[in-house]
C-alpha cells in the first residue's frame, strides 16, 4: 500500500516504464495500441492503462484489508480531482506519476473526454470497494451503473485516441457493455475469491443461488446459460450501432469483441460448468469453443461491416 515516501519521476521515464509494464502485463493490448494509435499519442494512453491496471490489482487483492482499499481509492479519486484542477499533490507511488502525466496531457490537449474516462473507471473500481465493505453483491440498478461506468470509460478513452486529436462526437454512446459482461463471467470465480459476486441480488434470488461457494452451486449453470445468450444478443445489437462508426474504430472494436468470444463459448462448451472450464483439456470441447466463436464472429462481421456507412 501507500507509503509516506515521495517519488520523483520525469515524464520520459514515466512513459518508458508504463510501456514496459503494459508490454509485460498485457502484451496483446500493447500490440494493439502500437498498431492503431500513432506513437506520439499512444504513449500517453499507455500511462492510463498501466495506472488503471495498478489500481485494479490493488482493489482485487484479497490480501489487502478492505479499509486499506478504501483509503487507497479515496486517495486516487482525490488525486484525479486535484490534478484536473491543476493542484499538485506529492506523488507517493510511481503509478501515481502515470496518472499525473496523463491528466497533464489531457489538460494540454483540452480533452475532457480522456480525463473523465480515467475518473469513470476509478469510480467503477470504487464501487468494487463499496461492495466488499458490504456483502459483496450489487443490486440490479447498481450493477447497471457499474457496467456503464466501466464500458463508457474504456470506449471513450480508446476511441478518443484512435480518432484524430480533438474530434470526439460520441459522448452519448456506449457500445462495449457486452465486453464488460464477458470479463465479469471470465472473472467470476476470481472475483468471488476477492470478496464480491458478479451476479446481482435479484439474479441470485431468481436462479436460487446462494453466494456462499457460488462456483460449486449447481444452479449457476442456468444463470450462465441465460447470461451468455443475453451477451450474444447484445453483441449483435452493438454491431448494428457500430455500422456508422469510422473504419479504424470499427476494426478495433471488432477485434476486441472477437478476442473475448472464446471466454464465453468455452463456458458454454463445457456445459456452463466453471470448474470444468478451469481444467480445460478436452479436444472436443475446445473444438466446439472455437467453432461457436468463428460462427458468431462471422455474424458480427457481416452485421458491423456489410454495406456500412462510414463516418470520415
Amino acid at each position: 500500500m501507500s507509503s509516506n515516501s515521495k517519488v520523483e519521476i520525469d515524464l520520459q521515464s514515466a512513459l518508458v516504464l508504463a510501456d514496459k509494464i503494459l508490454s509485460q502485463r498485457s502484451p496483446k493490448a500493447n500490440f494493439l495500441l502500437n498498431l492503431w494509435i500513432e506513437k506520439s499519442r499512444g504513449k500517453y494512453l499507455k500511462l492510463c492503462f498501466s495506472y488503471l491496471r495498478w489500481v485494479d490489482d490493488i482493489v482485487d487483492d484479497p490480501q489487502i484489508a478492505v479499509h486499506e482499499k478504501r483509503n487507497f481509492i479515496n486517495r486516487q479519486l482525490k488525486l484525479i480531482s486535484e490534478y484536473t484542477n491543476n493542484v499538485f499533490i506529492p506523488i507517493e507511488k510511481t503509478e501515481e506519476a502515470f496518472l499525473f502525466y496523463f491528466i497533464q496531457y489531457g489538460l494540454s490537449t483540452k480533452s475532457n473526454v480522456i480525463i473523465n474516462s480515467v475518473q469513470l473507471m476509478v469510480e467503477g473500481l470504487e464501487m468494487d470497494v463499496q461492495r466488499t465493505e458490504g456483502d459483496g453483491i450489487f443490486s440490479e440498478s447498481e450493477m447497471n451503473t457499474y457496467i456503464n461506468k466501466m464500458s463508457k470509460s474504456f470506449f471513450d478513452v480508446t476511441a478518443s485516441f484512435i480518432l484524430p486529436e480533438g474530434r470526439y462526437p460520441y459522448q452519448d454512446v456506449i457500445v462495449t457493455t457486452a465486453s464488460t459482461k464477458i470479463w465479469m463471467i471470465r472473472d467470476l470465480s476470481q472475483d468471488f475469491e476477492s470478496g464480491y459476486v458478479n451476479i446481482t441480488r435479484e439474479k441470485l434470488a431468481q436462479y436460487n443461488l446462494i453466494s456462499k461457494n457460488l462456483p460449486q452451486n449447481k444452479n449457476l449453470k442456468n444463470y450462465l446459460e441465460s447470461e451468455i445468450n443475453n451477451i450474444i444478443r447484445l453483441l449483435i445489437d452493438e454491431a448494428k450501432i457500430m455500422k456508422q462508426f469510422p473504419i479504424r474504430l470499427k476494426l478495433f472494436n471488432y477485434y476486441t469483441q472477437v478476442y473475448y468470444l472464446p471466454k464465453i463459448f468455452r463456458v458454454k462448451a463445457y456445459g456452463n460448468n466453471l470448474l470444468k472450464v478451469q481444467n480445460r483439456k478436452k479436444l472436443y470441447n475446445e473444438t466446439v469453443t472455437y467453432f461457436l466463436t468463428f460462427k458468431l464472429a462471422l455474424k458480427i462481421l457481416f452485421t458491423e461491416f456489410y454495406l456500412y456507412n462510414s463516418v470520415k
Side-chain angles (χ1 to χ4, degrees):
M1 292 299 296
S2 69
S3 64
N4 292 322
S5 61
K6 304 299 185 287
V7 175
E8 293 186 7
I9 179 172
D10 61 78
L11 173 59
Q12 188 57 40
S13 298
L15 292 171
V16 171
L17 183 56
D19 179 76
K20 181 179 180 180
I21 290 173
L22 192 63
S23 63
Q24 291 176 343
R25 295 292 307 278
S26 303
K28 291 183 178 178
N30 192 57
F31 170 77
L32 276 178
L33 296 188
N34 291 335
L35 179 65
W36 288 102
I37 302 172
E38 57 185 280
K39 188 175 181 181
S40 62
R41 300 178 65 214
K43 60 187 179 182
Y44 291 99
L45 184 54
K46 293 181 183 183
L47 287 174
C48 179
F49 280 10
S50 296
Y51 166 75
L52 291 173
R53 169 72 73 175
W54 173 66
V55 176
D56 184 57
D57 285 346
I58 290 178
V59 169
D60 284 347
D61 191 341
Q63 302 303 315
I64 298 177
V66 175
H67 75 275
E68 290 185 82
K69 293 181 181 181
R70 166 51 62 191
N71 292 336
F72 168 78
I73 207 73
N74 285 347
R75 173 175 168 81
Q76 300 313 308
L77 289 169
K78 182 178 180 180
L79 289 176
I80 293 170
S81 175
E82 298 290 15
Y83 290 161
T84 299
N85 289 292
N86 267 321
V87 177
F88 180 74
I89 296 178
I91 294 166
E92 295 182 352
K93 292 289 184 179
T94 300
E95 288 83 358
E96 292 179 354
F98 296 169
L99 173 67
F100 171 74
Y101 288 123
F102 179 74
I103 291 179
Q104 285 291 300
Y105 172 77
L107 292 173
S108 69
T109 57
K110 299 181 180 180
S111 177
N112 292 329
V113 172
I114 65 173
I115 295 175
N116 292 341
S117 294
V118 73
Q119 179 167 339
L120 269 180
M121 184 65 77
V122 176
E123 287 177 356
L125 294 171
E126 182 194 21
M127 293 185 71
D128 280 331
V129 175
Q130 287 174 340
R131 55 175 164 164
T132 57
E133 291 171 326
D135 60 5
I137 306 171
F138 281 146
S139 68
E140 198 75 30
S141 175
E142 289 169 330
M143 180 65 83
N144 289 335
T145 299
Y146 176 80
I147 290 174
N148 284 341
K149 282 181 180 290
M150 292 298 194
S151 303
K152 183 64 173 168
S153 171
F154 176 78
F155 179 78
D156 278 355
V157 75
T158 52
S160 61
F161 273 87
I162 290 173
L163 295 173
E165 187 173 302
R167 181 183 178 187
Y168 192 76
Y170 305 119
Q171 283 83 356
D172 298 324
V173 178
I174 303 177
V175 289
T176 53
T177 54
S179 297
T180 302
K181 288 174 176 286
I182 291 173
W183 299 339
M184 295 176 74
I185 286 182
R186 178 197 64 182
D187 297 336
L188 188 62
S189 295
Q190 176 184 329
D191 287 345
F192 180 76
E193 295 299 323
S194 297
Y196 40 84
V197 178
N198 281 330
I199 304 176
T200 65
R201 204 176 308 281
E202 291 87 343
K203 294 293 185 183
L204 289 172
Q206 178 182 345
Y207 289 92
N208 195 25
L209 293 166
I210 301 174
S211 59
K212 185 178 180 181
N213 297 323
L214 182 66
Q216 289 81 28
N217 194 305
K218 63 180 182 180
N219 293 329
L220 182 61
K221 294 181 180 181
N222 297 327
Y223 166 78
L224 289 173
E225 181 178 8
S226 175
E227 187 66 7
I228 289 172
N229 288 336
N230 288 335
I231 289 173
I232 292 171
R233 287 191 290 269
L234 183 55
L235 283 165
I236 298 300
D237 290 341
E238 290 181 349
K240 293 176 182 177
I241 296 173
M242 287 298 297
K243 287 172 72 72
Q244 302 300 316
F245 281 42
I247 187 66
R248 286 176 63 83
L249 200 52
K250 287 157 61 76
L251 288 170
F252 181 86
N253 185 73
Y254 179 73
Y255 175 87
T256 58
Q257 287 176 317
V258 172
Y259 175 74
Y260 287 107
L261 287 184
K263 309 297 182 184
I264 55 171
F265 283 129
R266 182 167 286 112
V267 174
K268 198 175 185 72
Y270 282 85
N272 299 305
N273 187 316
L274 292 182
L275 298 179
K276 290 182 178 179
V277 171
Q278 292 172 1
N279 300 305
R280 60 180 189 270
K281 294 181 180 178
K282 295 184 178 180
L283 178 60
Y284 172 78
N285 301 85
E286 291 299 298
T287 302
V288 170
T289 296
Y290 287 102
F291 172 77
L292 293 174
T293 295
F294 177 74
K295 185 178 177 181
L296 183 58
L298 281 180
K299 186 173 183 179
I300 294 173
L301 180 68
F302 180 83
T303 302
E304 192 166 316
F305 290 87
Y306 181 64
L307 294 179
Y308 69 87
N309 180 19
S310 177
V311 179
K312 297 182 179 178

